[in-house]
Amino acid sequence: MRASGVLMHLSSLPSPYGIGTMGAAARAFVDFLAAAGQRYWQLLPICPTSYGDSPYQSFSTYAGNPYLIDLDTLAADGLLEPGEYRTIDWQSPPDRVNYGSLYQKRWAVLRKACDRLLQNPPAAYADFCAANAFWLPDYALFMALKDEHGGRAWSQWEPALRRRDPAALAAARTRCAGAIAFWQAVQYLFFTQWRALKGYANDHGIRIIGDLPIYVAADSVDVWSTPEAFQLDDDLQPTEVAGCPPDGFSATGQLWGNPLYDWDAMRRDGFAWWVRRIRVLCSTYDVLRIDHFRGFAGYYAIPYGQTDACGGRWRPGPGIDLFRAVEKSLGRLPILAEDLGFLTDDVRDLLRQSGYPGMKVLEFAFDSRDGGDYLPHTYPRHCVVYTGTHDNEPVNGWFETAPAPDIAHALDYLKLTREEGYHWGMMRAAWASVADLAIVQAQDLLGLGHEARMNTPSTLGGNWCWRALPGAFDEALAAKIRHQMDLYGRLPR
């Protein structure tokens, strides 16, 4: 069935409190999507962000991002007084997130709410802690210990804690009991609001597409609590780290720095770590997009300590065995595969064997720096087409920065005109294509350019900051989009 959706992270919603949240603006965006004839809202990972503020570098695979908790909802629930947060200067212009200000000011507000929650916790709180006992205690202890160590990475803690000596952990649980309770309460608040938002979206015919980053951050509870799942040396340092080789976009490649998985060890227990991760995320979202799918066919390994990605080499991944193990345990799941990057026959074979729809990015169709085959006349039906992703320019930004011959090719192929707007012509091409699902960036719906780019890979600073202005997603825009959905057979039936 033909359908369409919009890619927009929660942090990009309008808000008077410095960052988009799971409150009224999120529900208003659901209303907009429904009015515009959409069926999907695609998000970036909703996990806590760490160094660089990237949702792809998180302290935890399973936890939710405390910044996304809505403060007005907490006040309505009796956990905050309006004066405790509405008078705070979040030091953020309406169209940007100031993460430094959030880090300095948000925690004190959340502590007030959690203190009130823990004074008389509802029965649902104990139920939540019990249902999430496989990850929540370790996460809360990890965050409490980070606080105790001034935010330093776990690799810099004293040896007994780094190596999870049982006596040291027991002492820490006693010593940090108050902080542990706080971090558990924060997660209860997050997932209470998340379930309410997801329920609202589903009730209005909108399904949530979530994101599974292939790698986890080195400074994460995942690596600290299960070091045997990763390629670490005797001192618990990575032997090699993740990234991408040099290409047309970067002469030195991308050095992500994430520790790599010990696939042999994971294979021995039937990929239990991955089965659990996918099970949880498929219950968190309606549809799951698996990031960097090519890394399961073969992954790029860079020696630890390198300053760029030039010295890496390709190593074989787990291949179809991983996804067969997942399907054997969990059944057939609604999964999308981000099959972008350096594609080889083994990646194409893995996508075919998995049966998952792959991705087509319209900007790549005309960008000589990519070299992929993404022209719409080559698409199969069983795919998802995007104008661009969170790692790309908005359409108008692409036209500001792409090589002149590439721009000329796009203008000729798509017959784009300034009168209509290049962004509208590019979106129409996605909607008109044979792809079963078409996803456009929210920035493209608003006709924004380079200033609204979400992320520039392999850079630090200024990323993940864009926010939509209040009132940007109005009834007139919804009606215009809905007409396009009707024209191209993508209205919900």
Side-chain angles (χ1 to χ4, degrees):
M1 183 182 299
R2 290 169 64 79
S4 60
V6 176
L7 169 59
M8 181 171 178
H9 195 37
L10 280 165
S11 64
S12 295
L13 289 165
S15 165
Y17 310 122
I19 191 170
T21 68
M22 297 179 285
R27 292 190 293 276
F29 189 65
V30 168
D31 295 341
F32 168 82
L33 293 174
Q38 305 301 291
R39 278 200 289 158
Y40 292 93
W41 179 4
Q42 181 169 333
L43 302 174
L44 304 183
I46 58 174
C47 46
T49 55
S50 62
Y51 181 66
D53 308 310
S54 169
Y56 295 89
Q57 295 283 350
S58 176
F59 293 131
S60 169
T61 285
Y62 299 112
N65 186 346
Y67 291 160
L68 304 179
I69 295 172
D70 184 63
L71 304 183
D72 286 332
T73 302
L74 295 183
D77 292 340
L79 297 176
L80 285 178
E81 296 293 334
E84 293 174 330
Y85 66 96
R86 290 185 180 172
T87 58
I88 294 174
D89 179 7
W90 299 101
Q91 298 175 293
S92 298
D95 63 343
R96 306 295 290 174
V97 177
N98 182 340
Y99 287 101
S101 177
L102 288 175
Y103 182 78
Q104 293 166 2
K105 302 178 181 182
R106 201 72 157 207
W107 300 113
V109 177
L110 291 177
R111 287 184 192 281
K112 289 184 174 69
C114 289
D115 286 346
R116 292 188 177 109
L117 172 76
L118 293 171
Q119 286 172 9
N120 186 26
Y125 176 69
D127 294 340
F128 171 80
C129 292
N132 294 280
F134 65 94
W135 68 269
L136 185 59
D138 264 335
Y139 168 74
L141 175 60
F142 176 83
M143 295 305 296
L145 287 171
K146 281 190 72 68
D147 286 346
E148 187 177 68
H149 289 80
R152 292 198 300 275
W154 69 266
S155 59
Q156 299 176 31
W157 299 349
E158 53 269 38
L161 288 176
R162 283 197 297 116
R163 297 187 178 280
R164 294 176 59 85
D165 174 77
L169 294 185
R173 291 188 185 102
T174 300
R175 185 175 68 250
C176 302
I180 289 170
F182 165 72
W183 287 107
Q184 291 190 160
V186 165
Q187 289 305 304
Y188 169 77
L189 295 177
F190 177 92
F191 282 104
T192 298
Q193 292 193 7
W194 171 256
R195 286 193 300 270
L197 175 59
K198 183 176 179 296
Y200 185 88
N202 292 166
D203 288 346
H204 287 74
I206 303 300
R207 302 181 73 199
I208 304 293
I209 301 175
D211 214 63
L212 184 157
I214 182 174
Y215 295 120
V216 300
D219 185 24
S220 68
V221 64
D222 307 282
V223 182
W224 178 63
S225 63
T226 55
E228 66 277 3
F230 299 89
Q231 297 180 30
L232 307 180
D233 63 20
D234 292 340
D235 198 35
L236 299 179
Q237 294 291 337
T239 54
E240 293 178 314
V241 295
C244 280
D247 59 19
F249 293 96
S250 173
T252 57
Q254 298 179 29
L255 177 62
W256 300 336
N258 308 77
L260 297 166
Y261 299 107
D262 186 337
W263 288 117
D264 291 337
M266 288 183 158
R267 191 184 301 273
R268 286 194 289 271
D269 70 356
F271 301 102
W273 190 94
W274 275 96
V275 170
R276 183 172 68 179
R277 187 183 186 194
I278 290 176
R279 173 179 59 79
V280 171
L281 293 184
C282 280
S283 66
T284 302
Y285 309 113
D286 297 302
V287 180
L288 188 63
R289 189 197 82 129
I290 296 182
D291 169 62
H292 198 59
F293 188 76
R294 77 101 47 244
F296 298 102
Y299 60 92
Y300 194 65
I302 303 161
Y304 180 64
Q306 295 287 103
T307 57
D308 60 37
C310 292
R313 54 181 170 175
W314 288 101
R315 296 187 180 278
I320 194 60
D321 291 349
L322 168 61
F323 299 103
R324 284 176 177 158
V326 169
E327 187 164 348
K328 181 179 179 181
S329 296
L330 306 177
R332 189 69 185 168
L333 298 170
I335 288 176
L336 314 176
E338 191 240 20
D339 59 330
L340 305 176
F342 178 61
L343 300 186
T344 50
D345 287 342
D346 58 341
V347 183
R348 298 182 184 95
D349 288 343
L350 179 59
L351 183 68
R352 177 183 52 78
Q353 290 175 301
S354 73
Y356 303 145
M359 287 175 53
K360 307 294 182 183
V361 178
L362 262 177
E363 288 181 12
F364 290 168
F366 309 102
D367 202 312
S368 57
R369 295 166 293 185
D370 180 79
D373 186 11
Y374 297 103
L375 289 169
H377 71 264
T378 68
Y379 295 172
R381 291 185 182 275
H382 188 56
C383 74
V384 186
V385 59
Y386 291 76
T387 47
T389 76
H390 59 275
D391 285 334
N392 305 130
E393 292 276 7
V395 166
N396 285 343
W398 185 83
F399 279 100
E400 294 168 15
T401 58
D406 296 350
I407 293 173
H409 184 202
L411 296 178
D412 187 26
Y413 183 98
L414 298 174
K415 305 304 178 191
L416 303 178
T417 66
R418 291 193 181 276
E419 291 73 23
E420 180 188 27
Y422 292 167
H423 57 297
W424 277 103
M426 188 82 88
M427 288 189 293
R428 278 197 306 101
W431 293 326
S433 75
V434 299
D436 287 335
L437 178 58
I439 303 287
V440 301
Q441 291 196 84
Q443 297 96 309
D444 293 337
L445 291 176
L446 301 177
L448 302 177
H450 175 73
E451 76 285 353
R453 181 169 184 163
M454 198 64 175
N455 178 52
T456 302
S458 288
T459 64
L460 282 176
N463 293 319
W464 319 108
C465 294
W466 172 75
R467 284 198 293 160
L469 294 174
F473 300 102
D474 59 19
E475 293 181 3
L477 180 59
K480 184 175 182 179
I481 298 166
R482 189 178 187 89
H483 173 68
Q484 298 292 324
M485 298 305 99
D486 188 29
L487 199 61
Y488 295 114
R490 295 191 182 272
L491 277 178
R493 302 296 182 188

